[in-house]
mmCIF file with all atom_site columns, all heavy atoms in Angstrom:
data_model
loop_
_atom_site.group_PDB
_atom_site.id
_atom_site.type_symbol
_atom_site.label_atom_id
_atom_site.label_alt_id
_atom_site.label_comp_id
_atom_site.label_asym_id
_atom_site.label_entity_id
_atom_site.label_seq_id
_atom_site.pdbx_PDB_ins_code
_atom_site.Cartn_x
_atom_site.Cartn_y
_atom_site.Cartn_z
_atom_site.occupancy
_atom_site.B_iso_or_equiv
_atom_site.pdbx_formal_charge
_atom_site.auth_seq_id
_atom_site.auth_comp_id
_atom_site.auth_asym_id
_atom_site.auth_atom_id
_atom_site.pdbx_PDB_model_num
ATOM 1   N N   . GLN A 1 9  ? 66.902 -18.572 -13.099 1.00 91.00 ? 131 GLN A N   1
ATOM 2   C CA  . GLN A 1 9  ? 66.569 -18.216 -14.473 1.00 91.00 ? 131 GLN A CA  1
ATOM 3   C C   . GLN A 1 9  ? 67.831 -18.199 -15.365 1.00 91.00 ? 131 GLN A C   1
ATOM 4   O O   . GLN A 1 9  ? 67.768 -18.641 -16.508 1.00 91.00 ? 131 GLN A O   1
ATOM 5   C CB  . GLN A 1 9  ? 65.881 -16.840 -14.505 1.00 91.00 ? 131 GLN A CB  1
ATOM 6   C CG  . GLN A 1 9  ? 64.461 -16.831 -13.963 1.00 91.00 ? 131 GLN A CG  1
ATOM 7   C CD  . GLN A 1 9  ? 63.563 -17.768 -14.754 1.00 91.00 ? 131 GLN A CD  1
ATOM 8   O OE1 . GLN A 1 9  ? 63.685 -17.883 -15.981 1.00 91.00 ? 131 GLN A OE1 1
ATOM 9   N NE2 . GLN A 1 9  ? 62.665 -18.411 -14.065 1.00 91.00 ? 131 GLN A NE2 1
ATOM 10  N N   . GLU A 1 10 ? 68.945 -17.728 -14.809 1.00 92.00 ? 132 GLU A N   1
ATOM 11  C CA  . GLU A 1 10 ? 70.172 -17.726 -15.603 1.00 92.00 ? 132 GLU A CA  1
ATOM 12  C C   . GLU A 1 10 ? 70.615 -19.177 -15.904 1.00 92.00 ? 132 GLU A C   1
ATOM 13  O O   . GLU A 1 10 ? 71.027 -19.470 -17.007 1.00 92.00 ? 132 GLU A O   1
ATOM 14  C CB  . GLU A 1 10 ? 71.261 -16.992 -14.863 1.00 92.00 ? 132 GLU A CB  1
ATOM 15  C CG  . GLU A 1 10 ? 71.115 -15.495 -14.859 1.00 92.00 ? 132 GLU A CG  1
ATOM 16  C CD  . GLU A 1 10 ? 72.228 -14.794 -14.079 1.00 92.00 ? 132 GLU A CD  1
ATOM 17  O OE1 . GLU A 1 10 ? 72.870 -15.403 -13.243 1.00 92.00 ? 132 GLU A OE1 1
ATOM 18  O OE2 . GLU A 1 10 ? 72.396 -13.575 -14.300 1.00 92.00 ? 132 GLU A OE2 1
ATOM 19  N N   . SER A 1 11 ? 70.516 -20.032 -14.874 1.00 93.00 ? 133 SER A N   1
ATOM 20  C CA  . SER A 1 11 ? 70.920 -21.426 -15.067 1.00 93.00 ? 133 SER A CA  1
ATOM 21  C C   . SER A 1 11 ? 70.058 -22.117 -16.102 1.00 93.00 ? 133 SER A C   1
ATOM 22  O O   . SER A 1 11 ? 70.550 -22.817 -16.982 1.00 93.00 ? 133 SER A O   1
ATOM 23  C CB  . SER A 1 11 ? 70.813 -22.196 -13.740 1.00 93.00 ? 133 SER A CB  1
ATOM 24  O OG  . SER A 1 11 ? 71.627 -21.631 -12.782 1.00 93.00 ? 133 SER A OG  1
ATOM 25  N N   . LYS A 1 12 ? 68.765 -21.873 -15.999 1.00 94.00 ? 134 LYS A N   1
ATOM 26  C CA  . LYS A 1 12 ? 67.833 -22.464 -16.978 1.00 94.00 ? 134 LYS A CA  1
ATOM 27  C C   . LYS A 1 12 ? 68.128 -21.931 -18.371 1.00 94.00 ? 134 LYS A C   1
ATOM 28  O O   . LYS A 1 12 ? 68.121 -22.690 -19.329 1.00 94.00 ? 134 LYS A O   1
ATOM 29  C CB  . LYS A 1 12 ? 66.390 -22.126 -16.552 1.00 94.00 ? 134 LYS A CB  1
ATOM 30  C CG  . LYS A 1 12 ? 65.353 -22.741 -17.483 1.00 94.00 ? 134 LYS A CG  1
ATOM 31  C CD  . LYS A 1 12 ? 63.928 -22.353 -17.039 1.00 94.00 ? 134 LYS A CD  1
ATOM 32  C CE  . LYS A 1 12 ? 62.884 -22.941 -17.909 1.00 94.00 ? 134 LYS A CE  1
ATOM 33  N NZ  . LYS A 1 12 ? 63.012 -22.756 -19.318 1.00 94.00 ? 134 LYS A NZ  1
ATOM 34  N N   . SER A 1 13 ? 68.396 -20.636 -18.469 1.00 93.00 ? 135 SER A N   1
ATOM 35  C CA  . SER A 1 13 ? 68.656 -20.053 -19.740 1.00 93.00 ? 135 SER A CA  1
ATOM 36  C C   . SER A 1 13 ? 69.909 -20.654 -20.432 1.00 93.00 ? 135 SER A C   1
ATOM 37  O O   . SER A 1 13 ? 69.874 -20.964 -21.615 1.00 93.00 ? 135 SER A O   1
ATOM 38  C CB  . SER A 1 13 ? 68.815 -18.525 -19.608 1.00 93.00 ? 135 SER A CB  1
ATOM 39  O OG  . SER A 1 13 ? 69.186 -17.942 -20.831 1.00 93.00 ? 135 SER A OG  1
ATOM 40  N N   . ILE A 1 14 ? 70.959 -20.789 -19.682 1.00 95.00 ? 136 ILE A N   1
ATOM 41  C CA  . ILE A 1 14 ? 72.225 -21.292 -20.275 1.00 95.00 ? 136 ILE A CA  1
ATOM 42  C C   . ILE A 1 14 ? 72.051 -22.775 -20.610 1.00 95.00 ? 136 ILE A C   1
ATOM 43  O O   . ILE A 1 14 ? 72.570 -23.270 -21.648 1.00 95.00 ? 136 ILE A O   1
ATOM 44  C CB  . ILE A 1 14 ? 73.459 -21.039 -19.446 1.00 95.00 ? 136 ILE A CB  1
ATOM 45  C CG1 . ILE A 1 14 ? 74.720 -21.194 -20.321 1.00 95.00 ? 136 ILE A CG1 1
ATOM 46  C CG2 . ILE A 1 14 ? 73.532 -21.925 -18.216 1.00 95.00 ? 136 ILE A CG2 1
ATOM 47  C CD1 . ILE A 1 14 ? 75.913 -20.528 -19.786 1.00 95.00 ? 136 ILE A CD1 1
ATOM 48  N N   . VAL A 1 15 ? 71.337 -23.551 -19.796 1.00 95.00 ? 137 VAL A N   1
ATOM 49  C CA  . VAL A 1 15 ? 71.082 -24.957 -20.110 1.00 95.00 ? 137 VAL A CA  1
ATOM 50  C C   . VAL A 1 15 ? 70.253 -25.046 -21.416 1.00 95.00 ? 137 VAL A C   1
ATOM 51  O O   . VAL A 1 15 ? 70.545 -25.855 -22.286 1.00 95.00 ? 137 VAL A O   1
ATOM 52  C CB  . VAL A 1 15 ? 70.408 -25.704 -18.931 1.00 95.00 ? 137 VAL A CB  1
ATOM 53  C CG1 . VAL A 1 15 ? 69.887 -27.043 -19.359 1.00 95.00 ? 137 VAL A CG1 1
ATOM 54  C CG2 . VAL A 1 15 ? 71.388 -25.828 -17.791 1.00 95.00 ? 137 VAL A CG2 1
ATOM 55  N N   . ASP A 1 16 ? 69.207 -24.227 -21.527 1.00 94.00 ? 138 ASP A N   1
ATOM 56  C CA  . ASP A 1 16 ? 68.393 -24.193 -22.728 1.00 94.00 ? 138 ASP A CA  1
ATOM 57  C C   . ASP A 1 16 ? 69.280 -23.852 -23.958 1.00 94.00 ? 138 ASP A C   1
ATOM 58  O O   . ASP A 1 16 ? 69.123 -24.448 -25.058 1.00 94.00 ? 138 ASP A O   1
ATOM 59  C CB  . ASP A 1 16 ? 67.252 -23.196 -22.626 1.00 94.00 ? 138 ASP A CB  1
ATOM 60  C CG  . ASP A 1 16 ? 66.167 -23.645 -21.664 1.00 94.00 ? 138 ASP A CG  1
ATOM 61  O OD1 . ASP A 1 16 ? 66.111 -24.835 -21.308 1.00 94.00 ? 138 ASP A OD1 1
ATOM 62  O OD2 . ASP A 1 16 ? 65.363 -22.766 -21.237 1.00 94.00 ? 138 ASP A OD2 1
ATOM 63  N N   . TYR A 1 17 ? 70.169 -22.891 -23.767 1.00 95.00 ? 139 TYR A N   1
ATOM 64  C CA  . TYR A 1 17 ? 71.031 -22.503 -24.899 1.00 95.00 ? 139 TYR A CA  1
ATOM 65  C C   . TYR A 1 17 ? 71.950 -23.696 -25.311 1.00 95.00 ? 139 TYR A C   1
ATOM 66  O O   . TYR A 1 17 ? 72.105 -23.968 -26.500 1.00 95.00 ? 139 TYR A O   1
ATOM 67  C CB  . TYR A 1 17 ? 71.911 -21.294 -24.499 1.00 95.00 ? 139 TYR A CB  1
ATOM 68  C CG  . TYR A 1 17 ? 72.959 -21.027 -25.524 1.00 95.00 ? 139 TYR A CG  1
ATOM 69  C CD1 . TYR A 1 17 ? 72.653 -20.392 -26.714 1.00 95.00 ? 139 TYR A CD1 1
ATOM 70  C CD2 . TYR A 1 17 ? 74.289 -21.364 -25.291 1.00 95.00 ? 139 TYR A CD2 1
ATOM 71  C CE1 . TYR A 1 17 ? 73.652 -20.138 -27.651 1.00 95.00 ? 139 TYR A CE1 1
ATOM 72  C CE2 . TYR A 1 17 ? 75.282 -21.104 -26.211 1.00 95.00 ? 139 TYR A CE2 1
ATOM 73  C CZ  . TYR A 1 17 ? 74.948 -20.504 -27.420 1.00 95.00 ? 139 TYR A CZ  1
ATOM 74  O OH  . TYR A 1 17 ? 75.921 -20.283 -28.363 1.00 95.00 ? 139 TYR A OH  1
ATOM 75  N N   . ILE A 1 18 ? 72.554 -24.351 -24.310 1.00 96.00 ? 140 ILE A N   1
ATOM 76  C CA  . ILE A 1 18 ? 73.415 -25.494 -24.625 1.00 96.00 ? 140 ILE A CA  1
ATOM 77  C C   . ILE A 1 18 ? 72.648 -26.576 -25.356 1.00 96.00 ? 140 ILE A C   1
ATOM 78  O O   . ILE A 1 18 ? 73.119 -27.117 -26.356 1.00 96.00 ? 140 ILE A O   1
ATOM 79  C CB  . ILE A 1 18 ? 74.063 -26.035 -23.327 1.00 96.00 ? 140 ILE A CB  1
ATOM 80  C CG1 . ILE A 1 18 ? 75.040 -25.032 -22.760 1.00 96.00 ? 140 ILE A CG1 1
ATOM 81  C CG2 . ILE A 1 18 ? 74.772 -27.384 -23.594 1.00 96.00 ? 140 ILE A CG2 1
ATOM 82  C CD1 . ILE A 1 18 ? 75.567 -25.375 -21.353 1.00 96.00 ? 140 ILE A CD1 1
ATOM 83  N N   . VAL A 1 19 ? 71.443 -26.847 -24.911 1.00 95.00 ? 141 VAL A N   1
ATOM 84  C CA  . VAL A 1 19 ? 70.615 -27.886 -25.555 1.00 95.00 ? 141 VAL A CA  1
ATOM 85  C C   . VAL A 1 19 ? 70.285 -27.451 -26.986 1.00 95.00 ? 141 VAL A C   1
ATOM 86  O O   . VAL A 1 19 ? 70.374 -28.269 -27.934 1.00 95.00 ? 141 VAL A O   1
ATOM 87  C CB  . VAL A 1 19 ? 69.331 -28.200 -24.759 1.00 95.00 ? 141 VAL A CB  1
ATOM 88  C CG1 . VAL A 1 19 ? 68.346 -29.048 -25.520 1.00 95.00 ? 141 VAL A CG1 1
ATOM 89  C CG2 . VAL A 1 19 ? 69.698 -28.883 -23.420 1.00 95.00 ? 141 VAL A CG2 1
ATOM 90  N N   . LYS A 1 20 ? 69.922 -26.183 -27.171 1.00 94.00 ? 142 LYS A N   1
ATOM 91  C CA  . LYS A 1 20 ? 69.602 -25.703 -28.498 1.00 94.00 ? 142 LYS A CA  1
ATOM 92  C C   . LYS A 1 20 ? 70.745 -25.785 -29.449 1.00 94.00 ? 142 LYS A C   1
ATOM 93  O O   . LYS A 1 20 ? 70.622 -26.178 -30.599 1.00 94.00 ? 142 LYS A O   1
ATOM 94  C CB  . LYS A 1 20 ? 69.073 -24.248 -28.377 1.00 94.00 ? 142 LYS A CB  1
ATOM 95  C CG  . LYS A 1 20 ? 68.680 -23.637 -29.724 1.00 94.00 ? 142 LYS A CG  1
ATOM 96  C CD  . LYS A 1 20 ? 68.182 -22.204 -29.521 1.00 94.00 ? 142 LYS A CD  1
ATOM 97  C CE  . LYS A 1 20 ? 69.387 -21.298 -29.538 1.00 94.00 ? 142 LYS A CE  1
ATOM 98  N NZ  . LYS A 1 20 ? 69.126 -19.902 -29.617 1.00 94.00 ? 142 LYS A NZ  1
ATOM 99  N N   . GLU A 1 21 ? 71.929 -25.374 -28.988 1.00 95.00 ? 143 GLU A N   1
ATOM 100 C CA  . GLU A 1 21 ? 73.107 -25.290 -29.872 1.00 95.00 ? 143 GLU A CA  1
ATOM 101 C C   . GLU A 1 21 ? 73.886 -26.629 -29.991 1.00 95.00 ? 143 GLU A C   1
ATOM 102 O O   . GLU A 1 21 ? 74.440 -26.898 -31.026 1.00 95.00 ? 143 GLU A O   1
ATOM 103 C CB  . GLU A 1 21 ? 74.051 -24.195 -29.357 1.00 95.00 ? 143 GLU A CB  1
ATOM 104 C CG  . GLU A 1 21 ? 73.503 -22.820 -29.467 1.00 95.00 ? 143 GLU A CG  1
ATOM 105 C CD  . GLU A 1 21 ? 73.244 -22.393 -30.907 1.00 95.00 ? 143 GLU A CD  1
ATOM 106 O OE1 . GLU A 1 21 ? 74.091 -22.653 -31.770 1.00 95.00 ? 143 GLU A OE1 1
ATOM 107 O OE2 . GLU A 1 21 ? 72.171 -21.796 -31.152 1.00 95.00 ? 143 GLU A OE2 1
ATOM 108 N N   . HIS A 1 22 ? 73.885 -27.425 -28.926 1.00 96.00 ? 144 HIS A N   1
ATOM 109 C CA  . HIS A 1 22 ? 74.746 -28.600 -28.931 1.00 96.00 ? 144 HIS A CA  1
ATOM 110 C C   . HIS A 1 22 ? 73.982 -29.928 -28.700 1.00 96.00 ? 144 HIS A C   1
ATOM 111 O O   . HIS A 1 22 ? 74.587 -30.982 -28.730 1.00 96.00 ? 144 HIS A O   1
ATOM 112 C CB  . HIS A 1 22 ? 75.816 -28.496 -27.838 1.00 96.00 ? 144 HIS A CB  1
ATOM 113 C CG  . HIS A 1 22 ? 76.679 -27.272 -27.979 1.00 96.00 ? 144 HIS A CG  1
ATOM 114 N ND1 . HIS A 1 22 ? 77.765 -27.268 -28.855 1.00 96.00 ? 144 HIS A ND1 1
ATOM 115 C CD2 . HIS A 1 22 ? 76.609 -26.045 -27.451 1.00 96.00 ? 144 HIS A CD2 1
ATOM 116 C CE1 . HIS A 1 22 ? 78.331 -26.043 -28.805 1.00 96.00 ? 144 HIS A CE1 1
ATOM 117 N NE2 . HIS A 1 22 ? 77.646 -25.320 -27.974 1.00 96.00 ? 144 HIS A NE2 1
#
Side-chain angles (χ1 to χ4, degrees):
Q131 289 299 324
E132 285 177 341
S133 299
K134 182 181 181 309
S135 176
I136 198 161
V137 168
D138 288 344
Y139 171 76
I140 292 169
V141 169
K142 181 180 84 170
E143 293 296 317
H144 302 277

